[in-house]
Amino acid sequence: MFERKKFKAAALEQLKGRWKIPVLATLLTYVLIGIFTAAVFAVFGLNFLATDNDYSLSALGNSGIFVSYSPSRISEFFDIILSGVVFVFFVAILSVHNTMLKESRKIYFSDFTTGLNQWWQAFRGGLWFILWVVAWSFLFLIPGIVKYYSYSMMFFIMAENPEIGVCKAMEISKELTRGYKGELFVLDLSFIGWSILASIPCGLGLLWLMPYMNMTKTNVYQYLKQAALDTNRVSLADFD
């Protein structure tokens, strides 16, 4: 039986006295995203946005004169930033899952950095995940949401089984979440209040909320995996 409150209570118990590493991992994720964004600005700079076209936007530059920027170049610039942020996000997600899956023993920061070594797998998994969710979203919003939850366990599967293929992880995730997508949606809704409160002090509360959410979902993954094994929807051989 899917017991949302039980998963959340267990997460708090598992994190008791062990918050330091998950919080640091979350902080590092934000730092990596910030570093990438700053690097894009440093490499491309304002020259990337400048244009000689008549159709442009103007802003007051450091020299005190107005500089013109092309809307199309601005859009392209932020597309680059968004793509990089998505890349860093999925790499960090896989690393965080690798950390949380070690809840049975003391958590080490090396669990997070080890997960970073799977950056290429995380990148491919992120692209595949976005591709299919967006494709289903074109059929209306609800199918996209359904598929989001259908594929939501694939990064846990990849973190626990580094050699597994992206497509295979997605297929296993579909089996694990079969019949549980509604419960997963309600689980996310149950964190909305905490998310609002955590965002108020400049988002600092998210450093503790995200580990809580990730540990909860780790417990959910373990439950869904065992339920799928017990009903023969998947086998241990499928994870090889």
Side-chain angles (χ1 to χ4, degrees), residues 60-91:
L60 187 63
N62 293 332
S63 61
I65 62 174
F66 280 92
V67 183
S68 296
Y69 302 103
S70 165
S72 62
R73 299 302 292 275
I74 292 174
S75 176
E76 184 179 349
F77 185 67
F78 283 102
D79 283 344
I80 293 173
I81 293 178
L82 179 60
S83 299
V85 168
V86 169
F87 167 70
V88 174
F89 173 78
F90 281 112
V91 172

Side-chain angles (χ1 to χ4, degrees), residues 60-207:
L60 187 63
N62 293 332
S63 61
I65 62 174
F66 280 92
V67 183
S68 296
Y69 302 103
S70 165
S72 62
R73 299 302 292 275
I74 292 174
S75 176
E76 184 179 349
F77 185 67
F78 283 102
D79 283 344
I80 293 173
I81 293 178
L82 179 60
S83 299
V85 168
V86 169
F87 167 70
V88 174
F89 173 78
F90 281 112
V91 172
I93 280 293
L94 195 146
S95 297
V96 167
H97 289 349
N98 186 65
T99 303
M100 294 302 182
L101 284 166
K102 307 299 190 300
E103 87 284 351
S104 60
R105 61 163 174 76
K106 184 177 180 180
I107 299 176
Y108 296 98
F109 192 70
S110 59
D111 296 321
F112 180 79
T113 55
T114 297
L116 294 177
N117 293 330
Q118 293 178 252
W119 65 270
W120 178 238
Q121 187 183 29
F123 176 64
R124 290 187 296 116
L127 287 180
W128 203 236
F129 180 89
I130 292 173
L131 173 66
W132 282 104
V133 170
V134 170
W136 278 100
S137 296
F138 285 140
L139 299 176
F140 298 113
L141 179 61
I142 293 179
I145 294 175
V146 170
K147 288 303 177 181
Y148 169 84
Y149 287 103
S150 180
Y151 307 146
S152 61
M153 295 294 118
M154 64 180 290
F155 289 94
F156 284 105
I157 296 167
M158 290 191 293
E160 192 173 42
N161 309 274
E163 302 301 321
I164 200 168
V166 170
C167 293
K168 189 174 183 180
M170 179 174 281
E171 290 301 315
I172 295 175
S173 178
K174 288 163 63 177
E175 289 298 325
L176 265 56
T177 58
R178 182 179 297 178
Y180 292 100
K181 289 181 279 292
E183 285 84 352
L184 292 171
F185 177 69
V186 173
L187 176 65
D188 279 345
L189 289 180
S190 71
F191 285 108
I192 289 181
W194 284 113
S195 298
I196 295 173
L197 289 174
S199 300
I200 293 175
C202 302
L204 292 177
L206 294 174
L207 295 177

Side-chain angles (χ1 to χ4, degrees), residues 1-8 10 14 101 103 153 156 160 173 175-181 183-184 187 214-234 239:
M1 180 178 179
F2 193 99
E3 300 180 76
R4 183 178 71 256
K5 292 182 178 180
K6 181 179 178 181
F7 296 139
K8 296 172 75 172
Q14 290 160 328
L101 284 166
E103 87 284 351
M153 295 294 118
F156 284 105
E160 192 173 42
S173 178
E175 289 298 325
L176 265 56
T177 58
R178 182 179 297 178
Y180 292 100
K181 289 181 279 292
E183 285 84 352
L184 292 171
L187 176 65
N214 287 321
M215 185 62 83
T216 299
K217 292 182 179 181
T218 299
N219 293 334
V220 170
Y221 166 69
Q222 300 285 21
Y223 168 80
L224 295 180
K225 178 182 177 181
Q226 191 59 52
L229 289 170
D230 292 343
T231 55
N232 296 316
R233 286 183 285 119
V234 299
F239 293 86

Side-chain angles (χ1 to χ4, degrees), residues 6-64:
K6 181 179 178 181
F7 296 139
K8 296 172 75 172
L12 290 175
E13 186 63 29
Q14 290 160 328
L15 287 168
K16 187 178 296 183
R18 307 163 71 187
W19 285 94
K20 182 179 179 180
I21 301 304
V23 168
L24 286 175
T26 304
L27 178 60
L28 181 58
T29 299
Y30 294 152
V31 170
L32 290 174
I33 291 175
I35 289 175
F36 176 85
T37 303
V40 170
F41 275 99
V43 172
F44 291 93
L46 295 180
N47 290 331
F48 179 82
L49 302 176
T51 178
D52 295 325
N53 296 335
D54 293 333
Y55 179 60
S56 62
L57 301 177
S58 296
L60 187 63
N62 293 332
S63 61

